[in-house]
Amino acid sequence: MEHSTVVGIDVSKDRLDVHVLPSEEAWAVSRDADGLAELCRRLAGMSGVVALEATGGYENIVAASLSSAGLPLVVVNPAQVRAFAKALGQRAKTDPIDARVIARFAEATKPVVRPLPDQATRMLADLLGRRRQIVGMMASESQRLRRTEMARVRKSIERLLAALKRELADIDHDIDDTVRGSPVWREKEDLLASVPGIGPIIARTMVADLPELGTLGRKQIGALAGLVPFVRQSGKWKGQAHIGGGRPTVRTALFLGAQVAKRHNPVLKAFYERLLAAGKSKMAATIAVAHKLLIILNAILRDKKPWQTA
């Protein structure tokens, strides 16, 4: 896909630095309502692409504003942009340089413009994100409880754990109401959960964090999940294959699903055992199961047919 104009936006807490290619025009606006309005006004009617990094949440309101204004938006992976900058020999961290590197990255890679998830999908993703945070806090507190012997500290940890368990139950109730209240999401969850190894939380993570599932090809959906292996190579030297990039929450959910599927899903269990017999390590075989599981889920939503063993 060719882009006549490419805009890179570096997002920080208080400001947005903008760089336009090929004109090399650069400016900055504040990351508030006035700044976003000015940004949309200056970019209105452009033919090309606007690229900004995922920066831990600061980009959300910017992306929503640009998308609402009808601008062709892509949110790019910061790790890939940093690797691109390193390859160019541009490691400086000043905002204007970063904005230009983002623009050059989009110009070189020509990312596909896709619509943002709608408000309901973002809300479900936020609920699931909050659930992960609570589960993480509970794990940390449980570890502290096992390590401490002081009665006063143990009581404090136990009270906090009880509160977190109540909060987790409330979040799970909200998530359940959200998913089961939508006929489309309910159908998707039921289809995904028909696969042995996929429970409600993994199915809902796929719905919220990988809404493209069922609409893309094998390679594209694998890349979005960060499950397509890449090999580091230089001349005749060839390193080991690695996975990375993509959407970490999706990759983690699929890895957890693979851990269950390789024991209880007859098809994936046989696949896993064949890989081990061929000399693959347990980790490499599990990653392969996660990738195969993703391909299966993609086909199930594409064809709207539940899992069938035979």
Side-chain angles (χ1 to χ4, degrees), residues 228-286:
V228 175
F230 64 91
V231 178
R232 293 181 179 178
Q233 187 170 355
S234 178
K236 294 183 178 180
W237 177 83
K238 189 175 182 180
Q240 293 183 332
H242 300 271
I243 59 171
R247 299 174 188 173
T249 56
V250 172
R251 188 167 60 251
T252 299
L254 288 167
F255 186 77
L256 293 174
Q259 297 280 20
V260 178
K262 70 185 184 183
R263 295 192 300 271
H264 302 293
N265 184 308
V267 173
L268 293 177
K269 180 181 180 181
F271 176 66
Y272 176 74
E273 291 172 350
R274 286 198 304 271
L275 292 175
L276 293 182
K280 294 288 187 182
S281 69
K282 290 183 178 180
M283 178 59 73
T286 302

Side-chain angles (χ1 to χ4, degrees), residues 18-70:
V18 184
H19 197 100
V20 183
L21 295 176
S23 68
E24 301 291 353
E25 183 183 4
W27 75 88
V29 297
S30 56
R31 197 183 72 91
D32 56 19
D34 291 338
L36 290 170
E38 180 184 351
L39 178 67
C40 292
R41 179 182 58 78
R42 295 186 69 164
L43 297 180
M46 67 164 287
S47 60
V49 66
V50 181
L52 64 152
E53 277 187 320
T55 53
Y58 287 136
E59 80 284 357
N60 289 342
I61 189 171
V62 183
S65 298
L66 293 171
S67 181
S68 297

Side-chain angles (χ1 to χ4, degrees), residues 265-267 306-310:
N265 184 308
V267 173
W307 167 263
Q308 294 178 343
T309 302

Side-chain angles (χ1 to χ4, degrees), residues 1-6 47-49 72 106-113:
M1 178 178 178
E2 295 293 337
H3 301 309
S4 56
T5 301
V6 181
S47 60
V49 66
E107 183 181 51
T109 59
K110 298 177 175 58
V112 176
V113 176

Side-chain angles (χ1 to χ4, degrees), residues 9-287:
I9 302 178
D10 183 38
V11 182
S12 60
K13 182 179 179 181
D14 299 316
R15 60 182 273 167
L16 309 173
D17 286 278
V18 184
H19 197 100
V20 183
L21 295 176
S23 68
E24 301 291 353
E25 183 183 4
W27 75 88
V29 297
S30 56
R31 197 183 72 91
D32 56 19
D34 291 338
L36 290 170
E38 180 184 351
L39 178 67
C40 292
R41 179 182 58 78
R42 295 186 69 164
L43 297 180
M46 67 164 287
S47 60
V49 66
V50 181
L52 64 152
E53 277 187 320
T55 53
Y58 287 136
E59 80 284 357
N60 289 342
I61 189 171
V62 183
S65 298
L66 293 171
S67 181
S68 297
L71 289 161
L73 175 71
V74 293
V75 180
V76 296
N77 186 305
Q80 293 176 335
V81 176
R82 294 295 175 262
F84 181 78
K86 186 175 180 180
L88 293 177
Q90 298 185 16
R91 304 182 189 179
K93 289 295 294 177
T94 58
D95 289 337
I97 292 178
D98 277 353
R100 187 173 190 274
V101 168
I102 293 169
R104 290 190 62 185
F105 173 81
E107 183 181 51
T109 59
K110 298 177 175 58
V112 176
V113 176
R114 294 190 182 94
L116 288 180
D118 58 28
Q119 185 177 359
T121 304
R122 292 196 299 270
M123 182 184 71
L124 177 59
D126 287 344
L127 286 171
L128 287 164
R130 183 56 183 161
R131 186 186 193 279
R132 288 190 291 270
Q133 292 170 350
I134 293 171
V135 170
M137 287 188 284
M138 290 175 66
S140 297
E141 290 302 309
S142 295
Q143 290 177 359
R144 294 187 185 99
L145 185 62
R146 287 193 293 269
R147 292 196 301 264
T148 188
E149 296 179 358
M150 185 179 295
R152 177 67 182 84
V153 175
R154 290 183 66 85
K155 287 182 179 179
S156 173
I157 295 173
E158 288 168 353
R159 285 197 301 270
L160 182 53
L161 278 171
L164 288 171
K165 288 178 182 177
R166 290 193 296 271
E167 191 63 29
L168 181 62
D170 288 344
I171 286 286
D172 281 340
H173 185 268
D174 289 343
I175 292 172
D176 190 65
D177 283 350
T178 300
V179 173
R180 305 311 290 180
S182 164
V184 174
W185 284 352
R186 186 168 62 246
E187 179 189 21
K188 286 185 176 182
E189 182 187 23
D190 291 343
L191 286 169
L192 295 174
S194 71
V195 180
I198 300 298
I201 296 302
I202 296 177
R204 292 167 182 182
T205 299
M206 296 298 104
V207 171
D209 293 339
L210 195 63
E212 300 91 346
L213 193 65
T215 67
L216 300 178
R218 297 163 61 106
K219 289 185 178 180
Q220 290 174 303
I221 204 68
L224 284 180
L227 285 173
V228 175
F230 64 91
V231 178
R232 293 181 179 178
Q233 187 170 355
S234 178
K236 294 183 178 180
W237 177 83
K238 189 175 182 180
Q240 293 183 332
H242 300 271
I243 59 171
R247 299 174 188 173
T249 56
V250 172
R251 188 167 60 251
T252 299
L254 288 167
F255 186 77
L256 293 174
Q259 297 280 20
V260 178
K262 70 185 184 183
R263 295 192 300 271
H264 302 293
N265 184 308
V267 173
L268 293 177
K269 180 181 180 181
F271 176 66
Y272 176 74
E273 291 172 350
R274 286 198 304 271
L275 292 175
L276 293 182
K280 294 288 187 182
S281 69
K282 290 183 178 180
M283 178 59 73
T286 302
I287 292 171

